[in-house]
Amino acid sequence: RVQLVESGGGSVQAGGSMILSCVVSGWADSDVCMGWFRQGPGGGREGVAALYTARGDTYYADYVKGRFTISQNDAKNTVYLRMSSLKPEDTGMYYCAVDCAASYVGGRGDVEAAPHTLWGQGTQVTVSS
């Protein structure tokens, strides 16, 4: 059974930094999209960043590019999201996902969920002004 467990959320002031972690267990595929999505108040879930575990390619939504960094550990079972220069509009519930889909479309990062995407329970990030 695949499990995703996120940690690292909390409250921070605008301009601050935060690191989210997601431990994935029970997943066997060698090259899979692992990503972070977020859902703001009253909004839908949107893809923030993703990577493919074997090739190491990374993808970012335009609104986080240059501020957020996605990475993984050597065992490829933990994915991190390092967030800096946080803004109030970054506030939301952040979800880790495995078996997402990511690409560049017209030079812009595109991170999408798929019908088979698996999700963590989410961790709240609140950025105050």
Side-chain angles (χ1 to χ4, degrees):
R1 176 169 162 258
V2 180
Q3 286 190 300
L4 296 81
V5 179
E6 299 110 332
S7 61
S11 297
V12 66
Q13 288 195 318
S17 300
M18 186 179 290
I19 300 174
L20 306 182
S21 302
C22 174
V23 179
V24 181
S25 59
W27 185 265
D29 286 4
S30 60
D31 188 27
V32 65
C33 174
M34 293 177 65
W36 289 93
F37 291 71
R38 72 184 184 193
Q39 187 164 11
R45 197 172 293 189
E46 56 186 7
V48 174
L51 59 76
Y52 281 89
T53 55
R55 68 190 89 156
D57 293 347
T58 57
Y59 304 81
Y60 297 93
D62 277 357
Y63 49 84
V64 303
K65 207 168 183 180
R67 301 189 297 122
F68 291 12
T69 302
I70 189 170
S71 62
Q72 61 182 329
N73 66 344
D74 290 344
K76 296 180 172 46
N77 62 358
T78 302
V79 62
Y80 305 98
L81 186 68
R82 290 173 170 80
M83 306 183 290
S84 61
S85 301
L86 282 161
K87 305 175 182 180
E89 51 263 44
D90 294 318
T91 293
M93 186 69 80
Y94 282 69
Y95 296 91
C96 177
V98 65
D99 208 9
C100 49
S103 61
Y104 277 102
V105 180
R108 303 178 68 174
D110 183 53
V111 179
E112 299 285 345
H116 45 271
T117 295
L118 300 175
W119 301 95
Q121 79 284 0
T123 185
Q124 178 67 35
V125 172
T126 301
V127 185
S128 58
S129 57

